[in-house]
Amino acid sequence: MKDLFIALALAVCLEGLLYAAFPQQMKRAIALMLATPEAQIRVIGLTTAIIGFIVVFWLRAG
């Protein structure tokens, strides 16, 4: 459980750094996401989650 919270904190930290370093590009990315159909966002999110799970499993098993 501790690893989960560490991973979430790291994700929040990295996202914050992106907003701080590239505010204009992040605004464009948000605008693009708002214009993207929900079904496509779901597919991308699910695909990304599966890839992330596989990578974590691979790293923990190795």
Side-chain angles (χ1 to χ4, degrees):
M1 195 61 145
K2 181 179 177 183
D3 288 343
L4 174 63
F5 289 122
I6 290 171
L8 289 173
L10 181 59
V12 170
C13 180
L14 291 174
E15 188 173 356
L17 287 173
L18 287 174
Y19 280 102
F22 309 105
Q24 194 64 30
Q25 290 85 346
M26 293 302 289
K27 287 171 82 172
R28 274 190 258 141
I30 292 169
L32 181 62
M33 184 177 284
L34 289 172
T36 304
E38 287 182 20
Q40 187 175 358
I41 293 172
R42 280 192 184 102
V43 169
I44 292 169
L46 185 58
T47 303
T48 304
I50 291 169
I51 291 170
F53 178 78
I54 290 169
V55 169
V56 168
F57 182 77
W58 178 63
L59 290 172
R60 293 294 240 164

